Amino acid sequence: MHREDFPMLKQDIVYFDNGATSLKPQVMIDAMVDYYSNHTANIHRGDYDAAIKTDALYDEAREVVKNFLHAESSREIVFTSGMTDGMNRIVFGFMKYQLKPGDEVLISKAEHASCAIPWYVLQEELGIVVRSVPLDSEHQLTIQNLESMISPKTKVISLSHITNVIGDVRDVEKIGEIAEKNHIYFVVDAAQSVSHVPVDVLKMKASFLVFSGHKMLGPTGVGVLYGKMDLLSKMRPLCYGGGMNEFFESTGEYKIREVPTCFEAGTPPIAEVIGLSRVIQYIESIGVENIHKHEVELKKYLVSELLKIPNIVLYNKSSESGILAFNIRGVFSQDTAVYLNHYHIYIRAGNHCSKMLKDDLNIKNTCRVSMHLYNTKEDVDKLVLALKNSEDIFKIIL
Amino acid sequence: MERSLRQAIIVDHYQNPYHKGLVDDDRGEYIKNNTNSVSCIDNVDIMYKIKDGVILDIYFDGEACAISTSATSIMIHTLIGKTVKEARSYLKNYEAMIEERPYDKELLGELNAYEEIYLQPNRKKCALLPFESLKKVLDEIEEN
């Protein structure tokens, strides 16, 4: 779908590494170039035409994100540098001051490093206990397993909406219900889900939700932290400086501004925020449901074709997203990635920043195909053909 | 070296690696080094037994690509029985070959299989992996 909108696709490539970062549509590039070429200005400081235009676009972006996430107020939207930044702000700006030693945080072994390591650091610093919910035989999280881990000590459930290797779509609405019923904070990593499936922070009763712009067809260097207003008002900034203070005096007195401005110290990534806003409008014009349907159909086709090749091992056939992890039997994943690059097919090899998942998969490294709206049946056919002919892999890569 | 010969050497050492599998080191005779690098997914443990300036034994194990695995296997096969001084010479010439500087081709033997790895810049770190481990271990010994 919409391949003509993506300048990278003018090259003869098959791009299957969307879990790492996605390609960018021309409309997003144009919006950023327009800022740099025609109305460069800082925000909230200038009284000239370019600054007024930039202010309006920056403020509009918060509204665009709010509507996209179905949040109650644009004040619940904080611009960050990405999902990792957002998670660290939640853990060290909020949870550090709300949790007590012995409080439990539930995660899973399929979580990305950014959704595990901050919790482990807080475990060291504060004496909270981080526990992993066991995954089922398909390496997926089940509601039963999650519920079995909940105790009166459980204070946080912190999970990805869609995991980045297995690609299972967690039932976040059900998890949100369980969290609310048990007075547990629910933190959602939407890095792999936003732009792939509908994200509604109210339906999922999320306390906090984070994602990056660059995995959702948007720019690098920008992300979003959503938090419920009453929680954000208790969150402490991790960064202090210009733009976020009401006043400061030589006596040492200062006052920080209200949410969300207090969380955006210094000059924010203005061009990136404008680009993100434009790309969300682009995604909405296509429809997230249509993107999801397209990716799931393509994955089913890919799985059906790969099952015909005897030496291909699949790790997550059943998950309902555009993510498939596989290996050629007896071939190290990086060698497969180098081989596929020979045919201009871009996939990812490795542990995909989910280093705990090896305990469940019994393998450390896999090849990962991750799709987006512009992938086609022809892309899948090219990949399948290359894998069918992979008996000569070492003649090609060495 | 012909491309087909280079491929044959690398594939042979990848599929039948020399001294793969770690040994029990109850007496503490081996120095163990892990090569897990930040930019790469190869993760190999190498155990060195070095005494009185001579490399007596090396074993390795782990998950790695064809280039890293074969380079480790060839390095081990080449260095067992050599002195630390000789190992330094292999290290220096091997690094020079990978980085396209002048080197002693005669000395390197089977290690010449990686003479054109510079054509794939993202694989240079794979070929260098076992020698980076060797360098760390030799430096550690010298410091102590």
Side-chain angles (χ1 to χ4, degrees):
Chain A
M1 301 199 295
H2 302 275
R3 289 175 67 81
E4 64 284 2
D5 297 342
F6 293 83
M8 271 279 285
L9 293 175
K10 286 179 188 154
Q11 301 171 50
D12 178 25
I13 58 166
V14 173
Y15 190 80
F16 272 145
D17 196 16
N18 294 285
T21 199
S22 59
L23 303 183
K24 318 304 173 195
Q26 190 64 51
V27 289
M28 183 217 88
I29 299 166
D30 289 345
M32 293 178 70
V33 169
D34 185 42
Y35 166 72
Y36 284 127
S37 306
N38 300 317
H39 60 97
T40 299
N42 213 324
I43 54 160
H44 303 153
R45 271 160 231 182
D47 293 306
Y48 45 92
D49 289 346
I52 292 163
K53 181 172 183 185
T54 301
D55 273 356
L57 285 171
Y58 193 87
D59 293 341
E60 180 193 79
R62 219 183 289 280
E63 198 66 26
V64 167
V65 175
K66 172 228 149 191
N67 292 333
F68 187 55
L69 299 181
H70 307 278
E72 282 184 323
S73 161
S74 60
R75 291 186 61 206
E76 295 176 319
I77 306 302
V78 179
F79 291 117
T80 65
S81 71
M83 184 274 276
T84 301
D85 183 20
M87 272 305 294
N88 277 272
R89 289 172 190 235
I90 294 165
V91 174
F92 299 109
F94 181 83
M95 297 297 178
K96 186 174 175 176
Y97 304 101
Q98 302 299 324
L99 301 183
K100 296 188 298 296
D103 284 349
E104 292 183 357
V105 176
L106 298 184
I107 65 169
S108 85
K109 284 186 181 170
E111 300 311 303
H112 187 275
S114 308
C115 300
I117 297 174
W119 291 120
Y120 288 133
V121 173
L122 195 64
Q123 179 171 255
E124 267 179 15
E125 283 186 5
L126 197 63
I128 60 163
V129 178
V130 182
R131 301 179 72 200
S132 289
V133 179
L135 304 176
D136 69 6
S137 58
E138 297 282 305
H139 320 292
Q140 299 189 13
L141 184 107
T142 65
I143 295 296
Q144 292 92 320
N145 284 353
L146 176 69
E147 283 188 310
S148 73
M149 297 285 285
I150 292 175
S151 77
K153 290 180 182 172
T154 310
K155 298 294 181 230
V156 184
I157 296 171
S158 178
L159 293 169
S160 298
H161 187 179
I162 297 181
T163 54
N164 75 324
V165 181
I166 300 303
D168 54 323
V169 186
R170 269 83 179 261
D171 187 350
V172 282
E173 290 182 21
K174 181 74 186 158
I175 298 171
E177 253 177 50
I178 294 167
E180 189 179 66
K181 194 176 82 187
N182 291 281
H183 308 290
I184 295 169
Y185 297 118
F186 182 28
V187 180
V188 184
D189 155 25
Q192 298 291 340
S193 64
V194 72
S195 85
H196 296 276
V197 294
V199 170
D200 185 324
V201 291
L202 292 183
K203 279 189 186 164
M204 63 175 80
K205 300 180 193 307
S207 309
F208 296 98
L209 180 138
V210 287
F211 61 89
S212 299
H214 71 96
K215 291 184 201 284
M216 57 171 300
L217 316 178
T220 57
V222 67
V224 167
L225 157 59
Y226 157 84
K228 279 185 182 167
M229 197 60 209
D230 60 322
L231 305 181
L232 284 182
S233 60
K234 291 181 198 160
M235 190 164 95
R236 297 190 188 187
L238 297 182
C239 192
Y240 294 82
M244 57 84 75
N245 70 79
E246 279 187 16
F247 71 85
F248 62 104
E249 302 290 345
S250 58
T251 55
E253 280 179 283
Y254 68 91
K255 188 173 180 205
I256 64 171
R257 295 176 73 179
E258 290 188 332
V259 173
T261 320
C262 62
F263 300 118
E264 294 175 7
T267 297
I270 300 168
E272 288 77 6
V273 167
I274 291 170
L276 179 68
S277 174
R278 184 65 192 88
V279 91
I280 288 174
Q281 294 168 37
Y282 172 78
I283 290 164
E284 284 176 326
S285 73
I286 294 163
V288 178
E289 292 88 351
N290 294 329
I291 296 173
H292 184 232
K293 189 165 166 271
H294 174 72
E295 290 175 8
V296 169
E297 276 171 14
L298 263 191
K299 177 179 169 177
K300 281 187 179 154
Y301 175 60
L302 173 61
V303 167
S304 70
E305 290 298 303
L306 291 182
L307 283 172
K308 295 176 192 165
I309 310 177
N311 63 338
I312 300 292
V313 186
L314 304 179
Y315 298 99
N316 60 332
K317 294 193 286 278
S318 62
S319 62
E320 291 272 320
S321 67
I323 296 175
L324 183 69
F326 72 94
N327 269 323
I328 303 176
R329 205 182 301 279
V331 178
F332 191 62
S333 60
Q334 190 184 10
D335 290 328
T336 305
V338 171
Y339 166 73
L340 291 173
N341 179 53
H342 180 79
Y343 298 105
H344 313 295
I345 299 169
Y346 297 176
I347 59 126
R348 176 57 61 98
N351 49 54
H352 320 293
C353 288
S354 298
K355 297 189 179 185
M356 301 186 294
L357 191 59
K358 64 180 182 299
D359 303 344
D360 243 73
L361 282 181
N362 291 321
I363 183 143
K364 286 180 192 163
N365 298 300
T366 56
C367 300
R368 181 185 67 185
V369 167
S370 49
M371 300 169 175
H372 219 306
L373 75 155
Y374 34 72
N375 289 119
T376 60
K377 200 163 166 284
E378 289 70 34
D379 288 347
V380 170
D381 289 338
K382 284 180 186 171
L383 172 67
V384 169
L385 182 65
L387 291 173
K388 267 184 188 160
N389 295 331
S390 62
E391 67 270 17
D392 283 340
I393 184 167
F394 293 116
K395 282 192 182 154
I396 290 187
I397 67 169
L398 296 174
Chain B
M1 194 182 278
E2 287 288 315
R3 187 178 179 205
S4 58
L5 180 57
R6 291 200 307 266
Q7 285 174 342
I9 291 170
I10 293 173
V11 170
D12 184 40
H13 276 273
Y14 178 54
Q15 293 176 340
N16 307 291
Y18 185 70
H19 275 209
K20 187 158 191 270
L22 300 182
V23 289
D24 289 332
D25 183 27
D26 299 338
R27 294 185 184 176
E29 295 175 317
Y30 287 79
I31 300 169
K32 193 171 172 183
N33 179 264
N34 181 274
T35 63
N36 197 2
S37 64
V38 287
S39 59
C40 190
I41 57 177
D42 299 318
N43 186 0
V44 175
D45 285 316
I46 308 182
M47 294 178 75
Y48 302 81
K49 185 178 177 183
I50 301 173
K51 202 175 174 188
D52 300 329
V54 179
I55 298 174
L56 298 175
D57 209 359
I58 316 176
Y59 282 88
F60 81 107
D61 209 352
E63 272 194 54
C65 66
I67 289 173
S68 293
T69 304
S70 58
T72 308
S73 173
I74 298 172
M75 181 190 84
I76 292 174
H77 195 247
T78 306
L79 293 186
I80 290 178
K82 299 286 191 303
T83 64
V84 168
K85 196 179 166 193
E86 287 169 327
R88 287 267 186 208
S89 176
Y90 278 100
L91 173 66
K92 190 177 146 200
N93 280 283
Y94 185 77
E95 282 178 341
M97 176 182 76
I98 302 293
E99 300 297 346
E100 299 175 79
R101 298 192 305 268
Y103 68 100
D104 183 349
K105 195 174 170 66
E106 289 294 309
L107 176 79
L108 290 186
E110 277 194 321
L111 290 167
N112 283 299
Y114 307 96
E115 66 188 0
E116 287 197 2
I117 206 75
Y118 65 87
L119 296 172
Q120 302 182 68
N122 61 326
R123 309 310 303 273
K124 278 161 60 171
K125 60 183 184 294
C126 308
L128 283 168
L129 186 111
F131 283 88
E132 281 176 358
S133 158
L134 174 73
K135 187 168 185 293
K136 273 185 197 161
V137 167
L138 296 184
D139 288 350
E140 257 175 47
I141 291 173
E142 268 179 23
E143 276 175 25
N144 295 330

